[in-house]
């Protein structure tokens, strides 16, 4: 059960977010309110208030950040993107809950003692509210991270945050995942799943060890991107940071996350921005086509299980368990392929004798398919992949070559999205990167954003006392800046 500190942190974060927006430039406040909230607030805890949607570490920074931007700054944050494809995807995302309700008004009789209720309009509104938090993060990213300097600030913030976050991670590798229990009074997941290869995998304040491994691999790859963009004096530091994070990633004991880094690190070091964009686009095609490929049973699941068995029998059994559950859940989802089954465990598989749920959902794609069908899957994953597919066209319209910064960021985003096939490692950081990239590409179509190239030298600081100094970079007069 959460302790008083957990409740204090959740309830005080709106105030923390307000202070950030009052004391920082807007784009810095957007980045750090969302990033710090996700990394520091308790996981698996939802604050239910009468008449309001459940508030958690995912929704509080976005919801209150949106309110502060609108009410205090008078800034209109648009939900609809500029591209026609983006508008269609947003409309699909907003309408999919109500289409699911319209096609699931019937109750499901599991046995004589268990009946799953039909969906009502209230359920559609509840499903929509659950999507608003991520959509607001995406919209804030589009509005405030619309140039190359802002995108660089975002990925630099993630790298800096992760270098600091690696310290409690290393503590948990040595001492076992105890920080969430010690600080917030409860463990956010199954402790047995944090035990691997005779040791422990860290989790700190995130949902699972897989999440922390995924973000570690993304941060290591982003270090290389920043190293290629930096000058000769700084590039070595970024490469050393990347090597350090790879060592931390090995200690996270996640084969998939480590494999992404080993396969893509050479490309991130040597390939041009255009080639990196092509790799990201290829990965995006794989992501969007995966449900069709799995439905047609084209994926060589047996061969993949055999390859995993060469690493360890435990990995092979885990992968076979995932594929078996995917097959069963996908067959169930295909009974209502257009809009899915909705909530109340309707998308799960139940034992007809006991009425208990016997299926386990790991991949976000199969969760989306069962919950909201092809409409929901295409809306969510299409919106996440949209900047990857718009990257080449936006640069071609501007008459420029794709930069390493944007090509590398697109690959890192694609890596995160690829991992949503076996896992559900989506986070506010995923939506923030997607929104920031999309906003940048929209600006690129209208002209050349400033600050895309190598970092510009900081202006000379004025003489006299400096009441505030940034944690990174030159000190300056004015609001405190983390970057």
């Amino acid at each position: 059960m959460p302790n008083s500190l957990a409740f204090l942190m959740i309830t005080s974060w709106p105030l923390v977010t307000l202070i950030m927006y009052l004391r920082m430039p807007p784009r810095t406040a957007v980045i750090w309110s969302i990033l710090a909230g996700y990394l520091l607030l308790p996981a698996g805890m939802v604050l239910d208030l009468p008449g309001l949607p459940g508030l958690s570490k995912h929704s509080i920074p976005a919801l209150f950040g949106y309110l502060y931007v609108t009410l205090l700054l008078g800034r209109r944050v648009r939900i609809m993107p500029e591209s026609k494809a983006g508008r269609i995807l947003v409309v699909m995302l907003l309408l999919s809950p109500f289409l699911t309700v319209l096609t699931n008004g019937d109750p499901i009789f599991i046995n004589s003692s268990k009946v799953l209720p039909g969906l009502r309009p209230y359920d559609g509104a509840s499903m929509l509210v659950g999507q608003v938090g991520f959509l607001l993060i995406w919209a804030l990213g589009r509005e405030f991270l619309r140039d190359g300097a802002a995108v660089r600030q975002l990925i630099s913030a993630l790298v800096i945050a992760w270098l600091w976050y690696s310290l409690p991670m290393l503590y948990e590798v040595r001492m076992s995942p105890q920080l969430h229990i010690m600080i917030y009074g409860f463990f956010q997941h199954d402790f047995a799943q944090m035990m691997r290869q005779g040791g422990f995998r860290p989790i700190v304040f995130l949902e699972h060890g897989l999440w922390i491994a995924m973000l570690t691999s993304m941060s290591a790859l982003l270090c290389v991107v920043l190293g290629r963009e930096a000058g000769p004096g700084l590039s070595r530091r970024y490469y050393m940071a990347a090597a350090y994070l790879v060592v931390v990633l090995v200690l996270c004991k996640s084969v998939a996350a480590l494999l992404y880094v080993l396969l893509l690190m050479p490309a991130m070091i040597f390939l041009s921005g255009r080639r990196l964009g092509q790799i990201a686009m290829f990965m995006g095609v794989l992501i969007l086509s995966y449900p069709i490929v799995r439905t047609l049973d084209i994926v060589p699941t047996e061969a993949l299980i055999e390859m995993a068995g060469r690493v360890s029998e435990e990995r092979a059994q885990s992968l076979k368990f995932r594929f078996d559950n995917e097959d069963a859940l996908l067959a169930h989802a295909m009974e209502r392929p257009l809009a899915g089954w909705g909530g109340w465990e309707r998308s799960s598989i139940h034992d007809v004798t006991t009425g208990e749920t016997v299926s386990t959902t790991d991949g976000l794609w199969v969760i989306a398919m069962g919950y909201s069908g092809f409409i929901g899957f295409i809306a969510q994953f299409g919106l996440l992949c949209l900047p990857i597919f718009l990257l080449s066209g936006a640069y071609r319209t501007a008459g420029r070559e794709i930069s390493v910064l944007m090509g590398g960021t697109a690959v890192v985003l694609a890596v995160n999205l690829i991992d949503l096939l076996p896992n559900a490692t989506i986070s506010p950081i995923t939506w923030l990167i997607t929104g920031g990239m999309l906003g940048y590409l929209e600006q690129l179509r209208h002209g050349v954003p400033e600050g895309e190239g190598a970092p510009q030298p900081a202006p000379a600081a004025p003489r006299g006392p400096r009441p505030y100094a940034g944690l990174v970079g030159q000190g300056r007069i004015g609001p405190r800046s983390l970057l």
Side-chain angles (χ1 to χ4, degrees):
M1 180 177 177
N3 58 23
S4 57
L5 180 59
F7 284 100
L8 178 63
M9 288 291 289
I10 285 285
T11 54
S12 65
W13 203 256
L15 178 60
V16 174
T17 303
L18 173 61
I19 294 172
M20 287 186 180
Y21 276 89
L22 291 176
R23 302 287 292 171
M24 297 177 177
R27 73 182 186 189
T28 305
V30 168
I31 293 171
W32 284 103
S33 63
I34 293 170
L35 185 58
Y38 180 62
L39 296 183
L40 299 178
L41 292 179
M45 179 179 175
V46 179
L47 188 64
D48 289 318
L49 300 176
L52 293 176
L55 300 176
S56 68
K57 65 190 298 179
H58 299 91
S59 59
I60 288 175
L63 176 60
F64 286 93
Y66 185 87
L67 291 176
Y68 298 150
V69 165
T70 305
L71 300 178
L72 297 180
L73 305 181
R75 189 80 171 260
R76 178 171 166 264
V77 180
R78 299 166 298 166
I79 297 295
M80 287 294 175
E82 294 181 2
S83 67
K84 182 181 293 185
R87 291 174 179 271
I88 292 173
L89 291 170
V90 170
V91 170
M92 289 174 62
L93 190 68
L94 296 176
L95 290 181
S96 63
F98 301 102
L99 296 176
T100 301
V101 169
L102 288 175
T103 56
N104 284 275
D106 57 312
I108 299 176
F109 296 89
I110 303 298
N111 53 36
S112 58
S113 60
K114 185 169 184 178
V115 178
L116 304 180
L119 301 185
R120 304 161 295 166
Y122 173 83
D123 297 307
S126 178
M127 293 165 64
L128 179 62
V129 167
Q131 297 173 345
V132 165
F134 287 130
L135 197 59
L136 291 182
I137 294 174
W138 176 80
L140 288 170
R142 274 188 61 244
E143 186 66 27
F144 290 100
L145 309 179
R146 295 179 68 84
D147 59 70
V151 174
R152 183 185 297 104
Q153 181 177 352
L154 170 60
I155 64 177
S156 299
L158 178 58
V159 168
I160 292 169
W162 219 254
L163 289 173
W164 282 105
Y165 214 62
S166 65
L167 300 180
M169 289 168 60
L170 293 175
Y171 172 86
E172 290 198 338
V173 169
R174 179 64 181 88
M175 304 301 294
S176 81
Q178 296 287 340
L179 289 176
H180 205 281
I181 301 176
M182 293 165 57
I183 295 175
Y184 293 128
F186 71 103
F187 194 71
Q188 66 270 46
H189 206 275
D190 180 8
F191 190 87
Q193 293 191 23
M194 302 305 110
M195 301 171 65
R196 283 290 185 275
Q197 302 172 9
F200 302 100
R201 55 168 35 151
I203 183 172
V204 193
F205 305 128
L206 301 192
E207 298 90 335
H208 192 281
L210 294 175
W211 270 251
I212 214 166
M214 186 68 245
L215 287 167
T216 304
S217 68
M218 292 169 62
S219 300
L221 293 173
L222 288 174
C223 278
V224 176
V225 174
L226 291 171
R228 292 187 62 181
E229 288 280 310
L234 290 176
S235 59
R236 182 180 177 184
R237 297 182 183 181
Y238 282 116
Y239 294 141
M240 291 176 62
Y244 166 73
L245 288 175
V246 170
V247 173
V248 176
L249 179 60
V250 172
L251 298 176
C252 289
K253 302 176 180 66
S254 174
V255 173
L258 182 59
L259 189 62
Y260 299 144
V261 170
L262 295 179
L263 290 177
L264 292 172
M265 187 71 79
M268 303 293 273
I269 295 174
F270 297 110
L271 295 187
S272 66
R274 183 170 67 89
R275 293 300 185 191
L276 292 173
Q278 291 172 347
I279 292 175
M281 186 174 294
F282 174 73
M283 296 167 71
V285 171
L286 291 180
I287 294 162
L288 294 182
S289 62
Y290 189 76
I292 304 242
V293 171
R294 285 292 279 126
T295 302
L296 299 176
D297 199 21
I298 297 177
V299 177
T301 55
E302 294 298 329
L304 292 174
I305 294 171
E306 182 180 349
M307 290 174 58
R310 296 172 185 173
V311 178
S312 73
E313 186 63 28
E314 182 184 14
R315 300 289 180 183
Q317 293 175 359
S318 175
L319 188 59
K320 184 177 186 304
F321 178 80
R322 289 170 184 263
F323 282 142
D324 290 344
N325 272 273
E326 276 188 5
D327 291 336
L329 289 166
L330 186 58
H332 182 57
M334 288 300 99
E335 296 177 22
R336 298 192 182 181
L338 190 61
W341 291 91
W344 298 106
E345 297 184 350
R346 293 169 61 91
S347 61
S348 302
I349 300 172
H350 299 81
D351 187 299
V352 294
T353 303
T354 63
E356 298 294 325
T357 301
V358 295
S359 58
T360 301
T361 51
D362 288 311
L364 184 65
W365 78 272
V366 78
I367 295 174
M369 287 290 297
Y371 201 76
S372 51
F374 275 108
I375 293 176
F377 170 83
I378 293 172
Q380 183 174 358
F381 279 77
L383 208 57
L384 289 167
C385 290
L386 185 61
I388 295 174
F389 290 108
L390 294 181
L391 181 66
S392 178
Y395 272 89
R396 189 165 52 248
T397 300
R400 303 182 57 186
E401 284 291 327
I402 300 175
S403 67
V404 172
L405 174 72
M406 297 307 297
T409 304
V411 170
V412 172
L413 174 60
V415 166
N416 192 179
L417 301 184
I418 281 284
D419 198 60
L420 300 183
L421 302 180
N423 303 305
T425 49
I426 194 168
S427 70
I429 298 171
T430 312
W431 285 100
L432 192 59
I433 293 175
T434 302
M437 282 191 63
L438 184 59
Y440 170 82
L441 296 177
E442 289 175 349
Q443 285 289 91
L444 189 62
R445 288 179 175 272
H446 297 302
V448 180
E450 296 180 359
E452 183 190 339
Q456 300 297 317
R463 295 184 179 181
R466 298 184 299 169
Y468 301 106
L471 295 183
V472 178
Q474 298 293 325
R476 64 168 116 177
I477 298 290
R480 184 183 298 272
S481 172
L482 289 177
L483 282 177

